[in-house]
Amino acid sequence: MINRQLLKPESIVVIGGSNNTHKPGGAIVRNLISGGYQGQLRVVNPKEEEIQGIKAYHDAKDIPDTELAILVVAARFCPDYVDMLAAEKGVRAFIIISAGFGEETQAGAALEQRILDTCERYGCALIGPNCIGMLNAWHHSVFTKPIPQLHPQGVDFISGSGATAVFILESAVIKGLQFRSVWSIGNGKQIGIEDVLQYMDENYDATTSSPVKLLYIENIANPDKLLFHAASLIRKGCRIAAIKAGSSESGSRAASSHTGAIASSDSAVEALFRKAGIVRCFSREELTTVGCIFTAINQHPSANTQQLRNFAIVTHAGGPGVMLTDALSKGGLNVPKIEGEAAEELKTKLFPGASVSNPIDILATGTPEQLSIAIDYCENRFEGIDAIFVIFGTPGLVTLYDAYEVLHQKILECRKPIFPILPSLHTAEAEVEEFLGKGHVNFSDEVTLATALTQIMRTPQPAPPEVELFGVDVPKIRNIIERLPATDENGGYLPPDMVRELLSCAKIPMVPEMVSASVEELTAFADRIGYPVVAKVVGPIHKSDVGGVALNIRSAQHLQLEFQRMMKIQDATSVMVQKMLKGTELFIGAKYEQRFGHVVLCGLGGIFVEVLKDVSSGLAPLSYPEAYSMINSLRGYKILKGTRGQQGINIQRFAEIIVRLSTLLRFATEIKEIDINPLLADTETITAVDARIRIEK
């Protein structure tokens, strides 16, 4: 629970405060004092009479009633302090810095549980244990540096790791990123990242709350809660970016299908973030850069992040402009050519040799006045420009105060977002610091900026919560599942006829086929549907690996020979015969991830799906916009659209099948793995050729 006593305590006691500011207890007292805490600050230290100018109590039992207690003592002492302070001193919020709890030993976990039980009994908020504390405009209850600049519209930052939070703050401060609050949740015994998001969601006020949330996550304890409140905040106008660390731990687990080999907990995280609309980051630099992009965009309320596609680059150094252009183009963003009467007019206002085609290179000798003119043309004269990048540094020959003052004024005046790239952090340190002091951010590296911006543009809006039921026979799905036996000697894999029955409930078309151990029946079936046909062994899981697939069979004699060969394969029980089809090979699969639900994957199919791993993921149930987003994010998307004279596939139909499969899974959680590979697609139809379903009841 998060309460007023945690956020705005009228009184604070530091248990274990000291005069040594190189230790956590002393550093917290220092930060509280230097942060201007206005309430009653008390310190408990059994040996000192005064701590940094504040009277010290030798025993916590001697302090007056207090609202928030910060514990910086050995773990073994913490439960007793919490018991006494909650029962006798009215403390209703605790921040426990101390380590040595559940993150280390079973005995430590027992201490942690005892603290939680006390807090729950008395209605106390608990941050930690094993954290660096928390920071807001009211109190700086952290023992670390740096202390970032605070602003009412700054970023809310929530971290599952204290040390990592410090490193992220280091990365942010140098960029000028301002904060509203910093939450280090440590072990998160009571208040985890999901709980902080819930509080921010339920108390969100568009006029006073921070519009940006940055998250560093090591464990997603409650995916549904994270999804619900993150999506809710984004729909209210927030922007959220997050790092999820440790996602690849189970990625190399042994698996029994294509989907199992590709799907991992990282796929689940990717799917969850996509569904919520969270921008996924993979490094501290990327996270803080995304935060700065959000900050720059929020200075222009009319700017729609999803519509920023065409950019102008104003630079006085050719190389960075070229690198930025390359990075934007690689990410699918545009640096359109600028030409025509307005371009020629601008050229007359710059020094000879300047270029205006985009990037607009005003040359190394370009003046602050010329910088101002170039920005004005991008803002008012050049059509189709959504935002402006300005690259301006120095080789040390001149100061940049005038140029950065121009940039400051233009950021305030222009309707279009301006992204300042000021690379001279050492040579122009004073000028950059003054610029940041006016409330701006700085992107010192243009490629990192372009990469982060690309990630933002690729992140879809939160998915609607409704389940797409059209075309899916839910009662029949449940009837099929419920009549299946609880155990199966096949490891839970359904026979082909049951697979067809389930897929038909979602109206996923399958190629005509017959499974039989009788060569006469199969030959008669092939004669009926017409040659050529395909034969596949039934029994072994990976048919191709054991030579259990024969293509382009054109006669009954050929079919009989293949039947005899396949029935000799180990574990073979029968043979499947299908009509031979042609088309682009696609793949759809899903795997049930504990706590997340079904992670649905799609991509190009065939025998190389595990090698290429060109797949994207979504969390069931999926909406149509989610399905289109998954398809669009594939590296092979151009193949699906059609390229180099080759016709594309029916992408609308592909999206429909993905959505219907996800709905089937929503109502059949007993399906733990499903693998449809390949589906054969052309401009009109998509047909499933091979599918496997594994059930656990």
Side-chain angles (χ1 to χ4, degrees), residues 293 308-314 320-336 358-359 387-391 419 421 445-455 457-458:
I293 293 172
L308 298 182
R309 283 291 183 271
N310 299 307
F311 299 90
I313 300 172
V314 179
V322 173
M323 288 189 287
L324 178 56
T325 301
D326 288 343
L328 291 169
S329 299
K330 183 179 178 181
L333 305 177
N334 303 317
V335 181
N358 203 14
I388 307 163
F389 295 100
V390 176
I391 305 173
F419 300 99
I421 302 168
D445 183 79
E446 59 280 346
V447 175
T448 302
L449 168 58
T451 302
L453 189 59
T454 298
Q455 193 71 355
M457 299 308 167
R458 288 177 176 171

Side-chain angles (χ1 to χ4, degrees), residues 366-385:
T367 66
E369 181 184 8
Q370 290 171 330
L371 173 64
S372 176
I373 292 169
I375 293 173
D376 284 341
Y377 270 75
C378 295
E379 169 77 0
N380 301 308
R381 301 293 301 279
F382 300 146
E383 295 182 1
I385 298 299

Side-chain angles (χ1 to χ4, degrees), residues 8 50 67 104 232 349 357 364 475 604 631:
K8 291 187 175 182
E50 188 177 275
E67 293 191 340
E104 291 189 6
S232 176
K349 300 177 184 296
S357 60
L604 292 171
I631 296 169

Side-chain angles (χ1 to χ4, degrees), residues 331-588:
L333 305 177
N334 303 317
V335 181
K337 185 176 182 180
I338 295 174
E339 54 189 350
E341 182 180 342
E344 293 303 316
E345 185 180 300
L346 171 61
K347 198 167 185 178
T348 66
K349 300 177 184 296
L350 304 177
F351 290 137
S355 170
V356 298
S357 60
N358 203 14
I360 300 167
D361 187 350
I362 66 174
L363 303 178
T365 52
T367 66
E369 181 184 8
Q370 290 171 330
L371 173 64
S372 176
I373 292 169
I375 293 173
D376 284 341
Y377 270 75
C378 295
E379 169 77 0
N380 301 308
R381 301 293 301 279
F382 300 146
E383 295 182 1
I385 298 299
D386 302 320
I388 307 163
F389 295 100
V390 176
I391 305 173
F392 214 96
T394 177
L397 301 177
V398 296
T399 61
L400 297 177
Y401 291 106
D402 291 343
Y404 289 176
E405 178 60 24
V406 165
L407 190 53
H408 164 64
Q409 293 298 331
K410 292 304 177 186
I411 290 173
L412 297 181
E413 296 168 5
C414 289
R415 302 180 309 277
K416 298 173 183 176
I418 296 177
F419 300 99
I421 302 168
L422 316 180
S424 303
L425 298 182
H426 178 72
T427 308
E429 180 181 2
E431 294 98 312
V432 173
E433 186 175 343
E434 181 180 282
F435 177 78
L436 298 181
K438 295 174 181 177
H440 301 303
V441 294
N442 173 36
F443 306 91
S444 60
D445 183 79
E446 59 280 346
V447 175
T448 302
L449 168 58
T451 302
L453 189 59
T454 298
Q455 193 71 355
I456 292 172
M457 299 308 167
R458 288 177 176 171
T459 303
Q461 290 298 299
E466 298 79 19
V467 180
E468 297 281 356
L469 293 173
F470 180 73
V472 180
D473 192 338
V474 175
K476 189 174 180 181
I477 291 170
R478 290 311 311 161
N479 178 267
I480 294 170
I481 295 292
E482 286 165 8
R483 73 173 193 256
L484 291 173
T487 57
D488 189 288
E489 65 263 9
N490 267 340
Y493 282 96
L494 297 183
D497 59 323
M498 298 295 293
V499 172
R500 292 183 71 88
E501 196 174 352
L502 272 174
L503 294 185
S504 70
C505 293
K507 290 187 169 55
I508 296 175
M510 294 197 71
V511 64
E513 68 181 30
M514 171 178 275
V515 177
S516 177
S518 165
V519 68
E520 291 80 10
E521 287 183 357
L522 294 175
T523 304
F525 174 74
D527 290 339
R528 191 161 63 251
I529 63 173
Y531 292 93
V533 296
V534 178
K536 302 177 183 179
V537 68
V538 175
I541 294 173
H542 292 298
K543 303 175 183 65
S544 299
D545 294 351
V546 294
V549 178
L551 306 177
N552 205 27
I553 297 173
R554 294 185 172 275
S555 67
Q557 183 180 13
H558 187 183
L559 176 59
Q560 290 167 4
L561 291 172
E562 290 294 350
F563 175 86
Q564 293 169 5
R565 181 183 67 81
M566 289 183 185
M567 290 300 290
K568 296 176 182 177
I569 294 174
Q570 185 176 352
D571 299 326
T573 58
S574 54
V575 172
M576 174 192 296
V577 171
Q578 297 175 326
K579 178 68 177 175
M580 178 88 175
L581 300 178
K582 292 183 179 180
T584 301
E585 292 187 330
L586 306 176
F587 158 79
I588 302 177

Side-chain angles (χ1 to χ4, degrees), residues 246-326:
S247 297
S248 62
E249 182 179 347
S250 58
S252 60
R253 72 165 71 99
S256 56
S257 73
H258 295 295
T259 304
I262 298 169
S264 67
S265 59
D266 190 60
S267 301
V269 171
E270 187 74 29
L272 176 66
F273 283 15
R274 181 191 298 276
K275 199 172 192 68
I278 297 172
V279 178
R280 187 169 189 194
C281 301
F282 295 91
S283 71
R284 302 190 305 272
E285 281 298 304
E286 189 175 5
L287 183 69
T288 55
T289 300
V290 168
C292 289
I293 293 172
F294 286 157
T295 298
I297 291 172
N298 285 338
Q299 293 175 332
H300 302 268
S302 60
N304 185 332
T305 311
Q306 300 303 315
Q307 293 177 355
L308 298 182
R309 283 291 183 271
N310 299 307
F311 299 90
I313 300 172
V314 179
T315 179
H316 70 163
V322 173
M323 288 189 287
L324 178 56
T325 301
D326 288 343

Side-chain angles (χ1 to χ4, degrees), residues 152-154 156 180 196-213 229-240 298:
Q153 291 294 293
D156 285 323
R180 187 174 189 269
V196 179
L197 279 181
Q198 178 181 0
Y199 179 85
M200 291 177 175
D201 179 24
E202 293 174 349
N203 294 275
Y204 187 77
D205 183 331
T207 61
T208 59
S209 299
S210 168
V212 178
K213 319 292 181 192
H229 292 293
S232 176
L233 279 164
I234 293 169
R235 291 190 188 101
K236 291 173 180 175
C238 263
R239 307 177 198 271
I240 301 179
N298 285 338

Side-chain angles (χ1 to χ4, degrees), residues 35 101 134 598:
F101 291 92
M134 68 174 294
H598 284 101

